[in-house]
């Protein structure tokens, strides 16, 4: 994490053309705008002020203070990190676009399958590659977006999140990018066989009967059959789809593989699939917080899951995973936006709400590792307890 001295915070009035804005630190109102980019004109600074921005963090090394200010174009210039003449596409906008594109391609793939039409994974493979690249440059932002999902779109969002989590986990383990791409695409397609599962079984509230569970387990066989007949599917992708419900002790399905029969990719997929499934809100159940999901994985370590990999997955995600709502020692609520590998208990957070006074606050970025910072995390919080929609702030 960059030090405060390397990226100083200044008032918006101190901004000048040529400065590179790393992040918006504080602003009035609860709406967030995209955050990084080079300031080209004074019109951009005026736009930031108009949006209620109070302070920003800048990167002196990427700033170009002696650069002459270009003439303002006839049309209104946008703030750093949105679109327009600022260098590059804003990080949040780019990642949201990528996420939405992947979801749309998933939907198209499924519609073609259901209609019996020819299917082509080439567009999805390209998106998977871009997801892997983005994981290396803005991994925390990708993980944060993966925490925001709708109850009525579980199948596609679960697959999206498994893909993102596999990319993140594989990167942490040091796997080659070519493997990460295969794991990511495998994650996107791993539950495709559920299109063959009857809706009354797939979306049944409550526990499945023995007969219904037999039907549900068939989805991995359907996934295998669909993907093995699809051009461009590799053995690694097929393994993710076919084996993510296998368990170390042989109690999994569909083939009851155990021990050394489970490859690294199968073991990774099993951990990631369970983690995302138990943390997801469904129409008929509330998802559990990440910390509780970690306890489930640890409880199943050595019997169901690879113990060493579970430990490494938890380290990879962090004590407080990105996208988690936490309560600080001064009763303020904040969203974890960036992990701190050196000091896991002191991530970068976005303060949004006062728990005891029950009202929203001006959005403020807070680095808990910054020297002199008094606030500390006391606990994780369920956003629903305060009626908070995290999608408005991520």
């Amino acid at each position: 994490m960059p030090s405060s001295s390397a990226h100083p915070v200044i008032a918006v009035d101190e901004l000048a053309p040529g400065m590179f804005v790393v992040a918006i630190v504080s602003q009035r109102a609860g709406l967030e705008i995209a955050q990084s980019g080079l300031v080209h004109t004074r019109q951009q600074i005026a736009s930031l002020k108009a949006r209620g921005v109070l302070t920003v963090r800048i990167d002196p090394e990427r700033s170009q203070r002696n650069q002459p200010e270009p003439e303002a174009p006839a049309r209104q210039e946008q703030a750093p990190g949105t679109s327009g003449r600022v260098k590059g596409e804003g990080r949040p906008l780019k990642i949201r676009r990528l996420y939405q594109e992947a979801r749309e391609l998933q939907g198209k793939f499924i519609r073609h399958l259901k209609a019996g039409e020819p299917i082509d994974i080439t567009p999805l493979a390209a998106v998977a590659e871009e997801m892997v690249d983005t994981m290396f440059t803005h991994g925390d932002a990708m993980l944060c977006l993966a925490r925001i999902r709708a109850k009525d779109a579980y199948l596609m969002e679960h697959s999206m999140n498994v893909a993102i989590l596999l990319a993140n986990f594989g990167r942490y383990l040091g796997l080659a990018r070519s493997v990460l791409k295969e794991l990511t695409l495998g994650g996107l397609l791993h539950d495709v066989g559920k299109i063959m599962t009857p809706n009354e079984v797939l979306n049944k509230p409550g526990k499945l009967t023995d007969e219904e569970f037999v039907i549900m387990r068939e989805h991995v066989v359907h996934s295998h059959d669909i993907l093995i007949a699809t051009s461009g599917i590799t053995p690694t992708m097929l393994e993710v789809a076919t084996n993510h419900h296998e368990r170390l002790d042989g109690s999994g399905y569909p083939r009851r593989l155990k021990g050394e029969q489970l490859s690294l990719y199968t073991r990774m997929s099993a951990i990631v699939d369970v983690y995302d499934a138990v943390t997801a809100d469904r129409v008929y159940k509330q998802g559990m917080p990440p910390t509780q999901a970690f306890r489930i994985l640890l409880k199943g370590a050595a019997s169901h899951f690879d113990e060493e990999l579970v430990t490494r997955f938890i380290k990879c995600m962090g004590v407080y995973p990105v996208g988690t709502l936490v309560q600080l020692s001064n009763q303020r609520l904040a969203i974890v936006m960036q992990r701190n590998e050196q000091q896991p208990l002191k991530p970068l957070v976005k303060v949004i709400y006062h728990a005891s006074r029950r009202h929203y606050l001006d959005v403020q970025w807070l680095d808990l590792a910054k020297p002199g910072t008094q606030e500390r995390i006391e606990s994780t919080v369920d956003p629903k307890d305060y009626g908070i929609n995290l999608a408005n702030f991520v």
Side-chain angles (χ1 to χ4, degrees), residues 4-247:
S4 298
S5 58
H7 292 166
V9 175
I10 64 171
V12 69
D13 289 331
E14 298 177 60
L15 264 180
M19 289 185 175
F20 192 96
V21 175
V22 175
I24 291 164
V25 178
S26 63
Q27 66 185 101
R28 290 188 295 273
L31 295 177
E32 184 72 14
I33 67 174
Q35 295 166 21
S36 64
L38 186 67
V39 176
H40 288 277
T41 69
R42 296 194 181 279
Q43 280 78 7
Q44 288 175 277
I45 300 171
S47 178
L48 286 173
K49 291 180 182 179
R51 295 172 185 227
V53 173
L54 301 174
T55 58
V56 297
R57 192 182 301 277
I58 64 168
D59 185 345
E61 293 186 1
R62 298 169 74 182
S63 298
Q64 304 169 19
R65 290 299 303 274
N66 297 324
Q67 179 186 9
E69 179 178 343
E71 273 188 28
R75 63 182 178 81
Q76 184 179 2
E77 190 110 43
Q78 298 192 14
T82 57
S83 58
R85 301 189 57 218
V86 179
K87 188 159 66 173
E89 183 180 11
R91 179 185 69 180
L93 296 180
K94 178 181 178 182
I95 295 173
R96 285 183 183 275
R97 174 194 59 75
L98 178 60
Y99 191 93
Q100 187 60 35
E101 183 181 357
R103 279 197 56 178
E104 289 172 359
L105 287 172
Q106 274 184 304
K108 184 177 180 181
F109 184 89
I110 290 171
R111 286 193 302 273
H112 284 187
L113 270 177
K114 287 181 175 179
E117 298 173 359
I119 51 179
D120 179 13
I121 67 162
T122 305
L124 262 179
V127 165
E129 186 165 14
E130 191 173 355
M131 288 171 67
V132 170
D133 290 341
T134 305
M135 186 57 70
F136 276 89
T137 56
H138 301 112
D140 282 334
M142 285 281 285
L143 290 167
C144 202
L145 191 57
R147 291 279 296 159
I148 310 303
R149 52 217 223 163
K151 295 179 183 179
D152 58 353
Y154 173 75
L155 178 56
M156 285 202 296
E157 294 196 348
H158 173 62
S159 296
M160 273 293 303
N161 294 344
V162 165
I164 291 171
L165 292 169
L166 278 174
N168 183 56
F169 194 15
R171 180 192 61 165
Y172 181 83
L173 296 177
L175 303 182
R177 285 205 186 203
S178 58
V179 174
L180 297 184
K181 177 184 173 182
E182 291 182 81
L183 289 173
T184 302
L185 187 49
L188 287 172
L189 299 172
H190 83 289
D191 267 348
V192 70
K194 285 185 177 177
I195 65 170
M196 308 291 288
T197 306
N199 284 334
E200 58 269 23
V201 174
L202 190 62
N203 298 315
K204 179 183 177 181
K207 188 176 180 180
L208 298 177
T209 66
D210 291 343
E211 294 78 11
E212 289 168 336
F213 191 59
V214 169
I215 295 172
M216 176 64 83
R217 290 194 306 183
E218 286 296 308
H219 81 270
V220 289
V221 177
H222 295 315
S223 294
H224 174 274
D225 293 346
I226 290 169
L227 295 182
I228 203 168
T230 301
S231 177
I233 295 296
T234 67
T236 296
M237 299 173 199
L238 198 61
E239 189 174 329
V240 171
T242 307
N243 295 344
H244 62 277
H245 285 292
E246 300 287 0
R247 298 293 180 258

